[in-house]
């Protein structure tokens, strides 16, 4: 591992000031000299592998603001501080009762040990597990812009079928983000240029020609909180995750679904897909296909077809298309059968 | 007694608790990389990023500039040593620093030594190589591989088994199966990482490294370093997962030893998880074509098994499992052929049940397909083809309890409740499938020495250079001494895992219990002889017991008629404080030089199909239930039942644990495990435990092990058949059979994944 300076700011403003730099807006956080570390379960891993090479780490765990570690629930919102641990949020009974999709997306992620360590802010910013990205001797446009994409013609069973580009097909592997994007969450961001609130759906960027730019964040901006509004559909929500083994595995395909039902009929549906796309993936076409329909197997199937209409498989990941569709069908039917 | 400690049935020993259980669960067992070593420096490997070509330049300037770097061992620096040898103890003939040729991905190009682990790792990452690279051949279908018949290429595999006129029998058969099967590349990934710690004291070299073959390594390392073997010691008291990966010595050991000599300090190199994929051995991928012909009555008349295995360019590593598949059932005519395919890959090596795991997978799948083709119950089909004698050499089985295993396992499993119709069983949204398969493993033993000492106050010390690879062999060797000497387990200590101890064979091929126990038994019996002679001698405590049979019990010499003498008194009469016996055991049929070869680090195996009088195998039957989601097709294994017969069971606790672990691994082989290879570059891709999948606790539900009583006096003096590798043979085929039963899809290529069942 390369040597680095380790510092422990004690407030959000101090952290931002320490990270602040003139060109921060143009350097993606993952390429900056100074980077934040929370649980370290993603960043420290990539530092050991030589993928991340910060010269200086700012440890967020010493920030004093209590709100960063709190889950606040009132009648119409759930607000997670960025340093809340995955495990704590997953086990919170009110989160589970009010919005099961949020709790399940966390509970079915990683392992108990990792969930105890990992923060929610770090979780949504976790970087891809593309094997070629992880091993520095391969060409990879995300790690080294312009070097090529080894996964394109390589071992790409894990890779995405939605939102891909000619430059990169890496999957966004996180689970929590699928629930957040389905539920229209927002993120609160603080930086030297002030505070801003961003729709969660705008946080992640599709790879396009610049797969190294993964989010809308500047290198000196900090996520302080994530907020989800509680609506009619929140309690009738579900996260279904399909994987190669029953625990401790990333999704091959997953679906976050929240339904607002009028009897048998869908008033509105919120759907996000994981394991199959380059970013947390809101499936608007599927939502539109369901609106006003009686939710039966045929309607669910139609929605699933719409969700994957633009899917583009590579050599080893074509199975994700039928799997993704069936995952969505199953998730829709299971969510329909939940009590509203 | 509880589930973990099954009540012993006939010819089964007590479920004695492992003597190192407490040490292990409290973290006090010292693994080789844990041994506190003064003034130690740390090593890190730099490895190649191409699979075929030449290193034309190596840039180490940046690496040397890292603060704390002490030395870099690379090309030219190993010139005064001999290159590794492939064979009995050596993993490969590739001497990575002797030759700038790159034979495979992840080949060692340098070892960096530094004051700290971190500095060594950092510097190793800064080493850059220039390559003249060539297009590599990754596997079977790659351009440029070289194929050759396996028979005769390796002393482990002399010939292809055959019997009768296969072509004629195949032409005549009424029902035929002709199918292809395959198993993937697998890497061991033991939780304890691979490591070497080298310590020089003058010209004496001590190596702390997890090893399944300390004596063999001592001799081989001495050869490479041109030392007297008496000056080399290999120490490996505990091993955190071996399964064959720590059997053959790799090139790293000598490189670390050379580094330690150069800097005049001990050096410790722990290989990281990723680099282990290229620097250690592994199970290479295999392919099979099975042709099976049968009559309408269900009798098999023709069996053909062709197989292909991948190995490295220079080494003819072969597993050759047709030896066992050709002898499994009463076939009629048999034709087998194994081919080696040389590709640009590192040399494979043993992985738990090396021949049987892939080969029996293919055979048992074909058996299931044939049962379906015949419209016959798969258990009944095996019963019909149960042989009197093995079909190749016509020899009897020393014992064979396969049908008993099927009976007991199928009853416990509830096989009779299975509706044979494909896709007929369902539980809500889950399709239910049930399947079964046979497990087989050859029973062998090898020459082994042991020293046992009994003191007047009843303390016993057993010494044997075997290896506690987690099987419980230390406990079992202690049990053998306890039983023969009439001493409680609490007064027994057992030392293993050190080449300074009496030599033992490689801990592989499930031979340890048989070989070690036979040697310990022999040493104990010599002690008994001395004690009995003294106890019954003139003027001795039991003088006049005449020819009455004597025994040892509870620290007393006892007679059949109920008389007894305290051990302490017998020692007093002998005027000695301790009796120590050194015994050498050699299995029946051993060559005259078998024992001297033991000291030279070579293990001569006997048993399996190679003995004159009979063939020797342990058998088992495994039954599996799977559940497959009707929408998303994920596969779950709610329960598995295995019944196994393996001669005398020394300890029902450790036996169950071995078999259970084997079955769990078998589930992993069926559903999870596979190393992915980038076919363009012949490089391993999923080199960590997140992406290299093995089952986690949530995947394993109910696992039942039935120990079927069996008595076999022919196998070896201890009457023991090895069972360490038996449990995971057949499991994957049983899962495949259950998947077929649930879905009607026959998946012939492992692992079976959602990809195969969706769509
Ligand atoms: C073996 C393994 C299995 C896993 N399985 C799953 C899984 O199944 N599902 C799943 O969803 N995840 C999984 N994960 C990923 C895991 O959830 C993430 O590693 C974790 O959530 C990251 O959180 P952290 O606090 O440790 O982040 P860190 O590693 O500390 O940081 C990650 C990134 O976020 C940045 N960062 C952190 N906090 C902030 C902040 N407040 N503001 C701005 N930037 C910030 C850091 O600079 C860094 O770039 C797995 C991880 C591992 C190692
Ligand atoms: S898919 Fe993306 S991350 Fe993976 S190798 Fe290609 S560019 Fe890199």
């Amino acid at each position: 591992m390369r040597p680095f300076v380790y510092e422990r700011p004690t407030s959000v403003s101090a952290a931002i000031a320490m990270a602040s730099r003139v060109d921060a807006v143009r350097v993606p956080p993952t390429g900056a000299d100074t980077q934040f570390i929370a649980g370290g379960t993603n960043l420290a891993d990539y530092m050991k592998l030589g993928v991340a090479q910060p010269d200086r780490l700012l440890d967020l765990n010493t920030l004093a603001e209590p709100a960063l570690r709190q889950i606040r629930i009132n009648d119409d919102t759930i607000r997670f501080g960025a340093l809340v641990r995955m495990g704590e949020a997953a086990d919170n009974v009110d989160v589970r009762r009010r919005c099961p999709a949020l709790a399940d997306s966390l509970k079915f992620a990683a392992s108990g040990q990792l969930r105890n360590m990992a923060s929610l802010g770090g979780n949504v910013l976790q970087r891809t597990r593309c094997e070629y990205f992880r091993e520095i001797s391969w060409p990879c446009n995300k790690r080294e812009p312009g070097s090529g994409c080894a996964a394109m013609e390589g071992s790409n069973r894990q890779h995405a079928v939605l939102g891909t580009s000619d430059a990169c097909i890496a999957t966004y592997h996180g689970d929590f983000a699928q629930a957040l994007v389905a539920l229209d969450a927002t993120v609160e961001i603080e930086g030297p240029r002030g505070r801003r609130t961003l729709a969660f759906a705008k946080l992640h960027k599709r790879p396009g020609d610049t797969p190294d730019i993964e989010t809308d964040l500047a290198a000196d901006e900090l996520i302080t909180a994530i907020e989800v509004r509680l609506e009619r559909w929140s309690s009738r929500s579900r996260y279904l995750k399909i994987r190669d083994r029953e625990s401790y595995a990333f999704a091959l395909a997953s679906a976050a679904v929240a339904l607002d039902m009028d009897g048998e009929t869908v008033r509105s549906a919120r759907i996000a897909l994981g394991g199959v796309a380059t970013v947390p993936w809101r499936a608007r076409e599927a939502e539109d296909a369901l609106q006003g329909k009686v939710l039966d197997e045929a309607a669910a199937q139609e929605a699933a077809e719409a969700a994957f209409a633009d899917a583009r498989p590579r050599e080893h990941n074509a199975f994700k298309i039928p799997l993704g569709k069936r995952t969505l069908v199953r998730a829709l039917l299971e969510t329909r059968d939940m009590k509203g | 007694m509880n589930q973990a400690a099954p009540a012993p049935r006939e010819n089964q020993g007590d479920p004695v608790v492992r003597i190192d259980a407490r040490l292990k669960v409290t973290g006090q067992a010292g693994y080789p990389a844990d041994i506190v070593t003064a003034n130690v420096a740390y090593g890190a490997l730099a490895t190649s990023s191409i699979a075929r070509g030449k290193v034309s330049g190596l840039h180490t300037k940046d690496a040397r500039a890292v603060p704390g770097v002490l030395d870099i061992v690379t090309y030219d620096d190993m010139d005064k040593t001999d290159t590794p040898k492939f064979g009995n103890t050596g993993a490969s003939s590739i001497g990575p620093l002797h030759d700038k040729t790159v034979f495979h991905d992840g080949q060692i190009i340098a070892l960096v030594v530094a004051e700290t682990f971190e500095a060594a790792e950092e510097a190793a990452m800064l080493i850059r190589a220039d390559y003249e690279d060539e297009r590599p051949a990754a596997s079977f279908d790659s351009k440029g591989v070289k194929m050759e018949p396996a028979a005769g290429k390796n002393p482990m595999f002399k010939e292809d088994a055959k019997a009768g006129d296969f072509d004629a029998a195949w032409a005549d058969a009424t029902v035929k199966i002709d199918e292809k099967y395959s198993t993937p590349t697998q890497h061991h990934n033991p939780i304890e990482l691979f490591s070497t710690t080298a310590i020089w004291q003058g010209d004496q070299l001590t190596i702390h490294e997890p090893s399944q073959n300390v004596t063999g390594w001592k001799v081989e390392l001495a050869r490479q370093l041109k030392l007297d073997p008496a000056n080399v010691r290999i120490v490996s008291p505990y091993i955190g997962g071996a399964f064959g990966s720590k059997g053959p010595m790799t090139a790293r050991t000598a490189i670390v030893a050379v580094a330690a000599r150069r800097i005049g300090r001990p050096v410790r190199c722990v290989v990281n998880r990723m680099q282990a994929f290229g620097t250690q051995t592994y199970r290479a991928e295999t392919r099979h074509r099975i042709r099976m012909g049968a009559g309408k009555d269900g009798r098999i008349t023709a069996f053909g098994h062709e197989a292909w295995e991948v190995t490295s360019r220079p080494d003819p590593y072969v597993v050759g499992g047709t030896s066992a598949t050709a002898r499994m059932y009463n076939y009629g005519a048999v034709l087998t052929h194994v081919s080696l395919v040389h590709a640009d890959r590192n040399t494979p090596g043993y992985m738990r049940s090396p021949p049987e795991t892939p080969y029996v997978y293919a055979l048992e799948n074909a058996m299931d397909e044939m049962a379906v083709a015949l419209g016959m119950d798969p258990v009944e089909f095996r019963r019909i083809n149960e042989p009197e004698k093995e079909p190749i050499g016509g020899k009897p089985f020393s014992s064979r309890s396969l049908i008993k295993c099927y009976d007991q396992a199928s009853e416990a499993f509830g096989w009779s409740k299975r509706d044979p119709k494909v896709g007929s069983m369902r539980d809500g949204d889950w399709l239910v499938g049930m399947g079964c398969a046979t497990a087989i493993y050859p029973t062998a033993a090898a020459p082994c020495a042991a020293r046992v000492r009994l003191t007047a106050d009843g303390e016993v010390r057993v010494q044997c250079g075997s290896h506690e690879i987690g099987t419980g062999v230390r406990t079992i060797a202690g049990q053998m001494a306890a039983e023969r000497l009439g001493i409680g387990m609490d007064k027994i200590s057992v030392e293993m895992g050190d080449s300074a101890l009496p030599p033992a064979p490689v801990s592989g091929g499930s031979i340890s219990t048989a070989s070690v126990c036979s040697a310990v038994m022999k040493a104990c019996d010599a002690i008994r002889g001395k004690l009995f002679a003294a106890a019954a001698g003139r003027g001795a405590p039991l003088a006049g017991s005449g020819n009455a049979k004597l025994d040892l019990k509870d620290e007393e010499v006892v007679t059949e008629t109920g008389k007894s003498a305290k051990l302490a008194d017998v020692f007093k009469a002998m005027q000695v404080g301790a009796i120590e016996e050194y015994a050498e055991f050699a299995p029946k049929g051993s060559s005259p030089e078998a024992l001297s070869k033991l000291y030279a680090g070579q293990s001569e195996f006997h048993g399996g199909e190679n003995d004159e009088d009979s063939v020797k195998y342990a058998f088992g039957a495994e039954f599996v239930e799977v559940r497959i989601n009707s929408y998303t097709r994920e596969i779950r294994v709610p329960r598995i039942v295995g019944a196994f017969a393996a001669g005398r069971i020394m300890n029902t606790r450790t036996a169950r644990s071995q078999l259970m672990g084997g079955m769990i691994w078998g589930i992993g082989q069926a559903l999870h495990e596979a190393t992915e290879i980038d076919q363009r570059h012949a490089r391993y891709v999923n080199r960590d435990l997140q992406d290299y999948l093995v089952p986690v606790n949530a995947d394993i539900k109910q696992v039942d092990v039935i120990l079927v009583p069996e008595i076999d006096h022919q196998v070896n003096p201890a009457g023991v058949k090895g069972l360490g590798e038996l449990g995971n043979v057949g499991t994957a085929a049983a899962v495949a059979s259950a998947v077929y039963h649930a879905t009607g899809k026959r998946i012939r290529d492992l692992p079976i994944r959602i990809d195969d069942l969706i769509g």
Side-chain angles (χ1 to χ4, degrees):
Chain A
M1 199 195 264
R2 294 168 73 245
F4 55 87
V5 175
Y6 170 76
E7 294 189 70
R8 313 214 282 178
T10 52
S11 68
V12 170
S13 55
I16 293 165
M18 287 161 86
S20 167
R21 45 185 276 179
V22 272
D23 60 351
V25 254
R26 278 179 287 119
V27 182
T30 50
D33 300 341
T34 296
Q35 297 183 19
F36 301 121
I37 186 163
T41 60
N42 192 243
L43 183 54
D45 184 19
Y46 279 138
M47 286 171 66
K48 286 193 228 166
L49 294 171
V51 173
Q53 307 205 332
D55 292 326
R56 186 163 71 140
L57 283 187
L58 303 180
D59 189 344
L60 303 181
N61 296 297
T62 47
L63 303 185
E65 288 84 347
L68 291 169
R69 293 180 188 77
Q70 288 167 357
I71 305 174
R72 277 193 232 152
I73 306 176
N74 59 31
D75 282 350
D76 43 38
T77 55
I78 302 183
R79 189 188 161 86
F80 298 101
L83 290 178
V84 169
R85 304 291 145 171
M86 287 170 74
E88 191 190 340
D91 295 342
N92 184 300
V93 287
D94 293 315
V95 173
R96 170 161 304 280
R97 188 169 52 83
R98 306 289 292 272
C99 192
L102 285 175
D104 279 344
S105 68
L106 289 163
K107 191 179 159 199
F108 298 149
S111 66
Q113 294 91 328
L114 285 159
R115 292 195 295 272
N116 286 340
M117 199 69 199
S119 69
L120 297 182
N123 179 285
V124 298
L125 295 174
Q126 65 179 279
R127 305 188 73 193
T128 184
R129 298 270 320 180
C130 167
E131 296 98 332
Y132 297 99
F133 171 74
R134 285 173 65 76
E135 151 64 86
I136 54 170
S137 61
W138 291 104
C140 166
N141 288 327
K142 189 187 275 297
R143 185 166 25 75
E144 249 179 83
S147 61
C149 170
M152 202 65 77
E153 310 295 334
S155 290
N156 46 32
R157 176 176 186 260
Q158 304 278 358
H159 288 72
V161 293
L162 291 168
T164 57
S165 73
D166 291 341
C168 178
I169 54 171
T171 303
Y172 174 82
H173 286 287
D175 293 301
F176 186 44
Q178 315 304 341
L180 295 175
V181 80
L183 296 164
D184 293 315
T186 53
V187 265
E188 272 166 39
I189 296 165
E190 291 211 35
R193 291 161 300 282
R195 177 181 297 187
R196 62 190 179 115
T197 301
L198 186 71
F200 188 82
K202 295 221 165 102
L203 180 63
H204 294 86
K205 295 203 174 300
R206 293 195 198 184
D209 295 333
T210 51
D212 57 315
I213 299 173
E214 296 172 354
T215 66
D216 189 58
L217 289 181
D220 51 10
E221 284 186 312
L222 201 60
I223 295 183
T224 51
I226 299 167
E227 196 168 287
V228 179
R229 291 192 63 78
L230 292 170
E231 307 279 2
R232 277 197 305 274
W233 50 81
S234 306
S235 59
R236 183 177 260 174
S237 72
R238 193 168 183 81
Y239 184 70
L240 176 65
K241 179 175 178 180
I242 306 301
R243 40 191 164 170
D244 279 317
R245 60 183 172 196
E246 248 193 285
S247 172
Y248 191 44
F250 290 100
L252 293 170
S254 71
V257 171
L259 292 176
D260 179 14
M261 301 288 286
D262 180 6
E264 306 266 277
T265 308
V266 180
R267 218 179 275 131
S268 72
R270 273 155 191 78
I271 298 171
L273 301 172
V276 291
T278 52
V279 290
W281 192 261
R282 183 81 181 252
R284 301 256 182 212
E285 300 78 4
E287 295 175 4
D288 294 346
L290 284 171
Q291 192 153 3
K293 296 255 174 69
V294 171
L295 180 45
D296 56 13
E297 186 141 357
Q301 185 65 41
E302 212 173 294
E305 294 298 336
F308 284 87
D310 293 332
R312 297 220 324 242
R314 304 298 308 176
E315 188 182 352
H316 303 289
N317 65 358
F319 77 100
K320 284 193 170 183
I321 297 174
L323 178 63
K325 289 181 194 168
R326 294 207 197 174
T327 303
L328 178 52
V329 170
R330 187 175 151 195
L332 283 168
L333 298 179
E334 286 180 2
T335 312
R336 175 198 67 187
D337 296 339
M338 290 171 76
K339 283 204 191 78
Chain B
M1 300 292 148
N2 57 36
Q3 211 186 358
R9 296 162 77 185
E10 191 190 356
N11 200 28
Q12 298 179 351
D14 288 335
V16 169
V17 173
R18 287 168 192 265
I19 39 183
D20 35 30
R22 178 170 289 276
L23 289 178
K24 285 188 168 175
V25 299
T26 54
Q28 291 175 74
Y31 293 85
D34 300 336
I35 305 297
V36 177
T37 308
N39 199 28
V40 69
Y42 294 86
L45 299 174
T47 56
S48 73
S49 60
I50 64 157
R52 181 185 171 94
K54 267 209 149 25
V55 175
S56 53
L58 198 75
H59 307 283
T60 57
K61 203 167 141 240
D62 291 350
R64 286 185 203 275
V66 171
V69 168
L70 299 167
D71 194 9
I72 295 178
V73 182
T74 181
Y75 300 103
D76 304 336
D77 298 332
M78 295 295 291
D79 284 358
K80 292 203 184 100
T81 66
D82 275 336
T83 50
K85 261 189 198 160
F86 167 73
N88 216 321
T89 45
S92 169
S93 63
I94 298 167
L97 298 183
H98 283 92
D99 183 351
K100 289 186 175 161
T101 309
V102 177
F103 291 95
H104 60 84
D105 172 36
Q107 182 173 312
I108 296 173
I109 57 174
L111 170 75
V112 179
V113 182
E115 293 286 354
T116 63
F117 171 72
E118 289 76 10
E121 285 266 303
E122 185 199 353
M125 282 179 95
L126 290 173
I127 291 183
R128 294 272 172 275
D130 300 327
Y131 300 105
E132 289 162 21
D133 56 335
E134 295 167 35
R135 197 194 155 91
S139 188
F140 295 119
D141 297 328
S142 310
K143 238 195 238 148
V145 293
K146 191 185 128 213
M147 192 160 96
E148 62 178 0
K153 292 291 173 327
N154 182 319
M156 301 290 283
F157 189 72
K158 297 207 176 70
E159 57 185 358
D160 289 318
K162 51 172 165 290
D165 182 346
F166 172 81
D167 289 335
W170 174 245
D172 284 350
T174 20
V175 185
K176 294 185 191 187
I177 292 290
D178 183 353
E179 292 296 350
K180 296 202 169 94
Y181 307 90
S182 74
T183 64
T185 317
Q186 298 176 337
H187 279 79
H188 302 77
N189 283 304
I191 288 299
E192 180 203 21
L193 294 166
F194 299 97
S195 74
T196 306
T197 304
I199 305 168
W200 291 88
Q201 282 162 308
D203 57 0
Q204 308 262 326
L205 172 62
T206 303
I207 298 283
H208 295 272
E209 176 166 343
S211 169
Q212 295 172 253
N213 189 7
V214 288
T215 304
W217 289 24
K218 175 183 80 172
V219 177
E220 171 60 12
L221 185 61
R223 187 192 65 74
Q224 288 181 28
L225 298 177
K226 302 182 179 169
L227 297 172
D228 179 350
N231 287 341
V232 178
R233 183 175 164 204
I234 312 281
V235 188
S236 173
Y238 294 99
I239 301 177
F243 303 110
S245 65
K246 290 158 183 170
M249 194 176 79
T250 66
R252 181 190 67 251
T253 310
I255 296 171
V256 175
V258 164
R261 189 159 56 185
R262 282 160 63 103
I263 64 162
R265 275 171 72 171
V267 173
R268 167 164 297 158
C269 172
V270 179
V271 181
N272 66 38
R273 179 76 56 198
M274 275 184 155
Q275 289 179 335
F277 277 73
T279 59
Q280 291 296 141
T281 57
Y282 62 101
R283 192 199 303 281
E285 56 273 35
T286 68
R287 282 183 176 174
H288 308 260
R289 177 190 181 197
I290 292 204
R291 283 178 291 168
M292 190 182 280
K296 282 244 151 50
D297 58 357
R299 281 180 211 285
I300 304 171
T301 51
F303 172 63
H305 191 166
E306 287 160 85
W308 294 263
E309 303 177 11
V310 164
T311 185
S312 63
R313 288 285 178 193
D315 300 323
Y317 179 79
V318 57
V319 297
T322 43
S323 314
T325 58
R327 291 173 174 87
M328 183 86 107
Y329 299 110
N330 193 22
Y331 296 120
V334 176
L335 184 71
T336 69
H337 186 70
V338 178
S339 301
L340 284 182
V341 174
H342 294 270
D344 297 301
R345 297 272 299 281
N346 46 332
T347 307
Y350 315 113
M351 186 189 275
R352 203 176 196 177
S353 14
E356 288 70 22
T357 295
Y359 280 73
V360 172
Y361 166 71
L363 165 60
E364 288 300 291
N365 238 324
M367 288 296 284
D368 200 65
E369 299 207 49
M370 184 53 110
V372 171
L374 289 163
M376 203 171 261
D377 176 77
V379 178
E380 188 55 28
F381 178 49
R382 288 170 174 95
R383 203 185 301 275
I384 289 177
N385 289 289
E386 179 68 1
E388 287 283 319
K389 296 196 161 150
E390 55 94 7
I392 305 300
K395 292 180 224 168
F397 292 85
S398 67
S399 58
R400 180 176 167 117
S401 307
L402 177 61
I403 299 303
K404 264 193 214 151
C405 292
Y406 266 107
D407 290 343
Q408 295 187 20
S410 69
E411 185 177 343
F413 182 81
W415 183 250
S416 59
K417 295 194 197 91
R418 171 181 183 262
D419 179 342
K421 212 167 133 245
V422 164
S424 60
M425 299 180 76
R426 231 189 138 106
D427 181 6
D429 281 344
W430 294 83
L431 310 170
V432 178
M434 297 180 182
C436 63
T438 301
I440 180 173
Y441 198 80
T443 296
C448 184
R451 190 188 295 121
V452 179
R453 186 175 71 184
L454 172 66
T455 62
D457 52 7
E459 299 283 343
V460 174
R461 187 185 66 187
V462 178
Q463 294 177 307
C464 175
S466 186
H467 320 83
E468 178 52 273
I469 55 176
T471 53
V473 66
R474 280 183 70 212
T475 308
I476 284 166
Q479 262 181 288
M480 178 53 92
E483 197 179 295
R484 301 304 287 173
L485 300 177
I487 305 287
M489 276 302 281
D490 55 331
K491 292 179 85 171
I492 309 248
S493 70
V494 183
E495 296 174 11
M496 284 188 180
D498 188 335
S499 64
L501 296 171
V506 56
S507 290
S510 297
I511 60 163
S512 289
T513 302
S515 312
V516 171
C517 285
S518 294
V520 170
M521 189 169 141
K522 202 167 161 185
C524 292
D525 288 352
I527 295 175
R528 285 164 67 97
K530 282 195 177 161
L531 284 172
F532 295 164
R538 194 175 297 161
L542 296 177
S545 321
N547 293 332
K549 262 203 183 150
L550 300 182
D551 200 358
L552 282 166
K553 261 201 188 105
D554 303 328
E555 300 189 25
E556 288 183 342
V557 180
V558 296
T559 70
E560 279 172 323
T561 52
K563 282 200 272 179
S564 66
K566 288 209 162 35
L567 211 51
D569 294 334
V570 181
F571 271 86
K572 224 182 275 166
M574 294 171 77
Q575 300 188 16
V576 296
I579 305 175
E580 185 166 271
E581 286 293 334
Y582 187 97
E584 293 179 325
F585 158 77
K588 220 166 90 189
S590 291
S591 69
E593 59 280 7
L595 278 165
S596 52
K597 275 161 64 183
L598 171 65
Y599 293 82
Q602 291 165 34
S603 310
E604 193 183 282
F605 280 38
H606 287 273
E609 48 275 345
N610 299 321
D611 288 358
E612 291 299 319
D613 53 346
S614 60
V615 292
K616 302 175 173 69
Y617 291 102
F619 288 93
E622 299 185 20
F623 288 75
V624 174
E625 178 180 320
V626 300
R627 279 164 189 245
I628 298 170
N629 188 276
S630 60
Y631 287 100
T632 41
R633 302 276 151 172
E634 68 265 42
I635 310 165
R636 304 285 181 241
V637 182
R639 63 198 185 98
I640 174 167
V641 178
F644 306 91
R648 169 149 177 79
I649 301 297
M650 289 296 300
N651 178 327
T652 54
R653 181 196 303 270
T654 53
R656 168 182 175 273
S657 171
Q658 282 297 298
L659 293 162
M660 177 176 66
M663 290 198 284
I664 291 171
W665 194 346
I667 293 172
Q669 277 160 342
L671 303 177
H672 306 114
E673 225 181 303
T675 307
E676 278 186 46
I677 303 170
D678 186 299
Q679 294 291 328
R680 303 162 300 174
H681 300 279
R683 299 187 65 190
Y684 301 125
V685 173
N686 54 338
R687 300 187 300 162
D688 60 49
L689 285 179
Q690 171 59 46
D691 295 322
Y692 184 92
L693 298 180
V694 297
V696 294
N697 271 332
D699 294 300
I700 304 302
K701 305 288 197 271
Q702 198 180 329
V703 181
D704 290 323
V705 176
I706 300 168
L707 298 169
V708 176
E710 183 182 69
I711 297 174
D712 188 331
H713 294 300
Q714 266 186 58
V715 276
N716 49 55
V720 161
K721 292 180 176 177
L723 50 70
E725 297 176 83
L726 181 60
N728 60 324
V729 179
T731 319
V735 173
S737 146
V739 167
Y740 172 77
H741 179 231
T743 63
K745 282 201 177 182
R746 181 70 68 180
I747 310 302
R748 301 183 178 90
D749 304 314
L750 290 182
I752 304 169
R753 286 183 170 164
I754 289 178
D755 322 21
D756 302 307
L757 302 177
I758 202 91

